[in-house]
């Protein structure tokens, strides 16, 4: 009788929040190829759960249903992180994985990395080494600590590699693979709808004349939206900008809640400003690609605008993705209304910077990750036959 081929070891892959999905989709595709050394098992922690922040993205990005759902939901950082750990541990006990792969910098990234590391299960971190050097950002804590417990670290830009080396991580564990989020952008861009269609779907038909310039705004960082004075100042600045150029503003649930809580809704009444529900992935790509400029505090949007060559102003004092500034189309505008307005008007008048696409933001980052993981498994087999 022919003997059964040995079953592949399991690699647990974790998703949690909206931006994780764009990063994980190409990785799962690369891991599904027959020559990949392991069998992926997908775990969704449930940090994001609204359909327009979550399940719609599974459909749009062709991600299979998760094998495990932890349904953690929203809570304080400590509660959310602890609850993910508590619910993730039994999944590891049940699946006995050879490795756990986490992406990005959300609370679930750290929670799952720490749970695995405590059980001596090797952790692979995709999008490692990014640093804002601002420890007041919850994501910075998640990045630093996840990298410290990771066995393989996949970087998306050169700064990631140099930050890790500076923090004492061995060069042999660091792989510069490029940007998986841009893998997804390159694969999906040609399927994006027209902006006119996006506006029709959002009941905003005619808000922007065909081909007329507009700005796109996203805001969700706690440092921008949780403090009422700052949120008031930013929304007031955008309302003023909207007198020069129409502004489309898909509202993150955190931001919507804060505007409501602090009674700031009147600032959204400017005639040139249109608020929208959180948008599907392809609609966001469509709106980014055709925008005259993008204003954002999102890391992913900084990268996507760089890949698209669309001028971007980051409404923060720093970025953990410096290549979007040194090579890409991004500039740090900070939060001073006068500076934001001056930089915006410069872009509207002179076009802003187009930049160039960074190395390895070429649609093949996930293939490089799969190759490095295959090598790791081959070395592991040699270590323990
Ligand atoms: C999280 C990540 C952030 C990432 C962002 C992308 C952390 C620390 N932050 O921030 O890095 O850029 O996701 O969106 O992990 N909510 C809903 N529906 C949802 C999800 C959230 O209504 O599906 C609301 C809840 O009121 C919740 C709030 O949004 O309390 C914040 O959600 P949370 O996941 O804690 O953080 P984000 O601000 O989304």
């Amino acid at each position: 009788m022919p003997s059964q081929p040995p079953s592949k070891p399991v690699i647990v892959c974790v998703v949690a929040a909206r931006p994780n999905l764009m990063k994980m989709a190409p990785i799962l595709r690369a891991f599904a190829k027959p020559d990949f050394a392991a069998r992926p098992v997908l775990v969704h922690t449930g940090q994001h759960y609204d359909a327009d922040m979550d399940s719609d993205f599974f459909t749009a990005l062709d991600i299979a249903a998760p094998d495990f759902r932890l349904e953690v939901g929203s809570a304080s950082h400590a509660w959310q992180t602890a609850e993910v750990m508590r619910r993730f541990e039994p999944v590891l006990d049940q699946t006995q994985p050879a490795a756990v792969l986490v992406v990005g910098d959300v609370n679930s990234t750290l929670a799952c990395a720490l749970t695995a590391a405590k059980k001596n299960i090797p952790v692979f971190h995709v999008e490692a080494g990014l640093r804002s050097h601002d420890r007041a950002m919850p994501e910075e804590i998640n990045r630093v600590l996840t990298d410290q417990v990771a066995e393989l670290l996949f970087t998306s830009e050169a700064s990631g590699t140099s930050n890790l080396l500076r923090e004492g991580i061995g060069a042999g564990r660091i792989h510069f693979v490029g940007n998986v989020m841009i893998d997804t952008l390159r694969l999906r861009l040609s399927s994006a709808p027209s902006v006119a269609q996006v506006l029709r779907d959002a009941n905003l038909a005619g808000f922007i004349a065909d081909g007329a310039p507009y700005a796109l705004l996203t805001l969700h960082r706690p440092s921008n939206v949780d403090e009422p004075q700052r949120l008031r100042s930013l929304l007031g600045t955008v309302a003023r900008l909207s007198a020069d150029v129409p502004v489309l503003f898909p509202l993150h649930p955190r931001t919507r809640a804060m505007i409501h809580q602090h009674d700031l809704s009147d600032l959204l009444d400017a005639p040139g400003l249109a608020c929208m529900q959180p948008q599907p992935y392809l609609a966001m790509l469509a709106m980014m690609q055709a925008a005259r400029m993008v204003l954002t505090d999102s890391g992913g949007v900084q990268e996507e605008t760089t890949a698209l060559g669309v001028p971007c102003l980051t409404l923060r004092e720093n970025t953990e993705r410096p290549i979007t500034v040194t090579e890409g189309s991004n500039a740090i505008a900070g939060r001073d209304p006068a500076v934001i307005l001056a930089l915006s008007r410069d872009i509207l008048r002179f076009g802003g910077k187009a930049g160039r696409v960074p190395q390895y933001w070429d649609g093949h980052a996930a293939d490089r990750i799969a190759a490095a993981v295959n090598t790791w498994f081959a070395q592991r087999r040699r270590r323990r036959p």
Side-chain angles (χ1 to χ4, degrees), residues 286-297:
M287 288 193 294
M288 269 189 274
Q289 186 179 30
R292 178 62 60 91
M293 61 180 295
V294 174
L295 301 106
T296 193
D297 59 8

Side-chain angles (χ1 to χ4, degrees), residues 170 224 327:
N224 277 339
E327 293 189 15

Side-chain angles (χ1 to χ4, degrees), residues 17-19 47-50 53 74-75 77 80 105-108 138-139 142 220-222 252-254 257:
R18 185 171 59 177
Q47 181 171 340
H48 282 177
Y49 42 84
D50 284 356
M53 299 291 286
S74 303
H77 287 267
Q80 191 176 57
D105 55 15
V106 302
N107 286 342
S108 303
E139 294 82 2
N142 295 340
H220 77 284
R221 293 269 157 226
H252 187 283
R254 171 190 283 279

